[in-house]
Amino acid sequence: MPSLRLVFVLILQENLHFYIMDVKIAFLNGDLDEVVYMSPSQGYDDGAGKVCKLNKSLHAEIKKYMEKRQEEMKDRMEKGQEEMKKGQEEMKKGQEEMKNQIQSHVKSRRN
């Protein structure tokens, strides 16, 4: 519990965004990329030999779902890193400009 409190303190101090996700629900309601059929659940089968078309993923699809989500997260992180690098470059340019302005101001004061 103390480590969780530490995480919350860091989130607040650094003004970070924090999201909570119910993983079990995410797995059960994940989007499918392909058409999937399954046999009806026990006790629901009426003997007609019908199958159910899944609109959302179930536990059997967890591996595919996780791979898809991992790829999405990887893409998001790469984009975030690119944006962070751009921001750092802009900050360095701004610092350099400010340094030059200060130097020119100091030189003009001396003259």
Side-chain angles (χ1 to χ4, degrees), residues 19-45:
Y19 299 96
I20 298 174
M21 181 177 79
D22 186 346
V23 176
K24 189 182 292 184
I25 298 300
F27 286 139
L28 292 174
N29 295 313
D31 294 326
L32 294 171
D33 293 330
E34 63 277 328
V35 178
V36 178
Y37 294 93
M38 65 173 268
S39 300
S41 301
Q42 252 183 343
Y44 185 76
D45 193 355

Side-chain angles (χ1 to χ4, degrees), residues 27-32 53-58 61:
F27 286 139
L28 292 174
N29 295 313
D31 294 326
L32 294 171
K53 179 182 175 186
L54 297 181
N55 293 324
K56 296 285 184 179
S57 66
L58 295 174
E61 297 294 318

Side-chain angles (χ1 to χ4, degrees), residues 2-86:
S3 59
L4 189 58
R5 288 185 188 133
L6 177 63
V7 170
F8 289 134
V9 168
L10 290 172
I11 289 169
L12 290 172
Q13 284 180 345
E14 299 298 322
N15 196 24
L16 300 173
H17 297 282
F18 182 70
Y19 299 96
I20 298 174
M21 181 177 79
D22 186 346
V23 176
K24 189 182 292 184
I25 298 300
F27 286 139
L28 292 174
N29 295 313
D31 294 326
L32 294 171
D33 293 330
E34 63 277 328
V35 178
V36 178
Y37 294 93
M38 65 173 268
S39 300
S41 301
Q42 252 183 343
Y44 185 76
D45 193 355
D46 62 359
K50 295 180 181 178
V51 293
C52 300
K53 179 182 175 186
L54 297 181
N55 293 324
K56 296 285 184 179
S57 66
L58 295 174
H59 291 287
E61 297 294 318
I62 288 175
K63 184 175 180 181
K64 289 180 189 177
Y65 180 79
M66 282 302 294
E67 290 171 355
K68 180 180 173 183
R69 293 295 171 240
Q70 285 176 340
E71 192 63 34
E72 289 174 3
M73 289 301 296
K74 181 181 172 186
D75 291 343
R76 285 182 186 174
M77 289 180 71
E78 287 173 355
K79 287 178 185 176
Q81 288 175 343
E82 289 172 13
E83 289 178 16
M84 186 176 71
K85 286 180 183 177
K86 288 178 185 176

